[in-house]
Structure formats: structure tokens, C-alpha cells
Amino acid sequence: SLRLPHGFYRKDWQIPARIYFKCYDPENMQTRQLFCQQGKWAHTTHWYDFYNGVGQSEYDMSAVESIIKDFWFIGIKEEFQASLCMFQYQVFGKFDRECDCKSKISQVPGMKHIGHGVKPHTIDNLNNRTHYLMEKLSTLDIVTYQIAKEEFSKRIDRIKNKTGVDLLCNRTI
């Protein structure tokens, strides 16, 4: 394995990430970005600064949960329409009838998918090695995303209890 700055090791890569990415580090980017405003990671790409010298496995994810709960808005890509409707509700205190699954209009007007000529694909098209490397890069981000999905779901439930409108149309996240 190769030694990276500040003593971190990356066994799965042939060259150090700092050289390979020219100081761009894709590892757990979403989780690290949560701490920018607190000055724990601002203006640096080094894990050492993010973890204050401790390894990833020792990092306390309860801080991530606290930060996510404080977000004014949380949107989830897989629930894009429900996210737009939630945003509308948070801004205006109401939402268009298109947000109600019981409405005859089942989709927000003007919302469509643009494929840019990319052939249909899924994560299942990737080999096991690529899956492994992606998971290694996003170990904390996977947990962060799950925390965000849980908070999103709680907020959807609060809107449903308050308005009687199920933005997820009986789907679960």
C-alpha cells in the first residue's frame, strides 16, 4: 500500500489519491461537505482535517444526524416530485393539486426526464470490483444518505398528518 499525506492509506488504488486527483478527494464528499460551515473542513481536501486525525471508523456520525435535522429543506433525488411538493409546501404553506396522488394529474407540469442520448443503464451493469471501489469511496456517504432519507420520510409524514395529502402516493422510501 502507498502512504498518503497525514498517514492515511488507500490499498485499492495504484497511486496516491492526492497525486491522482490533483488534491481532489472524492471520498465521502457529501459527509465532509456537511462540516464546511463549522470550519472543520472548509478550504481543505484532506481527511486529516475532517477527522482531526482519527480514522473514518472512529468518526461519530451522530453529528451528521444533528446537522441534517437542522436543514431547512431536504430533497431526495429518487423522490424528486415529492421533494418539489414538499419544497412548495415549506415555502408557501400549500401545494398544487398535482402533488396530491388522488388528483387526476399525477405529475407536476413541465417535469420530464431528459436522457441526453445516454443509453439506459443501472448500477447492476457494473462489475463487482467497481461496486467494491464505489462503496469504499462512499462508506460514510451511504450512512449520511440513509439519515437524510429517514428525515425526509419523517417530514413527509408530518405533512401528511397535517394536510391529509400523501406526497409519496403510498410508497415507502
Side-chain angles (χ1 to χ4, degrees):
S1 73
L2 295 167
R3 185 156 202 242
L4 295 176
H6 308 300
F8 286 94
Y9 295 87
R10 200 171 272 154
K11 297 175 185 175
D12 301 315
W13 299 59
Q14 296 300 315
I15 54 178
R18 184 171 186 192
I19 295 167
Y20 187 84
F21 296 109
K22 298 186 184 207
C23 241
Y24 163 78
D25 187 354
E27 196 168 5
N28 294 304
M29 288 176 64
Q30 291 178 333
T31 306
R32 285 184 292 146
Q33 288 295 326
L34 292 176
F35 294 91
C36 281
Q37 293 178 351
Q38 296 181 7
K40 293 181 181 176
W41 187 76
H43 309 297
T44 182
T45 58
H46 301 295
W47 276 113
Y48 179 81
D49 298 318
F50 176 61
Y51 292 113
N52 288 326
V54 299
Q56 286 189 46
S57 61
E58 299 171 46
Y59 190 72
D60 181 10
M61 291 300 285
S62 64
V64 170
E65 188 171 358
S66 177
I67 291 168
I68 287 174
K69 284 182 178 183
D70 285 343
F71 282 162
W72 178 80
F73 172 75
I74 296 173
I76 300 294
K77 179 198 166 285
E78 291 84 0
E79 294 297 342
F80 187 72
Q81 182 170 334
S83 296
L84 286 178
C85 292
M86 182 191 296
F87 182 77
Q88 201 176 55
Y89 183 79
Q90 285 184 231
V91 171
F92 302 110
K94 60 183 181 174
F95 34 73
D96 293 335
R97 63 189 173 122
E98 293 87 1
C99 293
D100 188 347
C101 300
K102 296 173 188 166
S103 168
K104 291 181 181 179
I105 304 169
S106 63
Q107 194 172 37
V108 175
M111 194 169 92
K112 63 180 181 177
H113 177 76
I114 301 173
H116 302 286
V118 176
K119 293 179 183 177
H121 60 282
T122 70
I123 196 165
D124 296 329
N125 298 126
L126 303 174
N127 63 39
N128 289 339
R129 175 89 175 132
T130 303
H131 278 274
Y132 170 77
L133 290 173
M134 287 172 49
E135 193 169 305
K136 292 282 284 179
L137 276 176
S138 57
T139 305
L140 296 179
D141 281 351
I142 291 167
V143 176
T144 297
Y145 190 61
Q146 187 60 41
I147 292 168
K149 283 173 37 176
E150 289 169 9
E151 182 62 24
F152 176 81
S153 184
K154 289 176 187 174
R155 293 177 185 197
I156 289 285
D157 287 344
R158 282 196 293 264
I159 290 172
K160 182 179 180 180
N161 292 336
K162 192 170 186 176
T163 66
V165 174
D166 179 9
L167 299 178
L168 292 176
C169 304
N170 293 319
R171 293 186 313 275
T172 56
I173 299 178

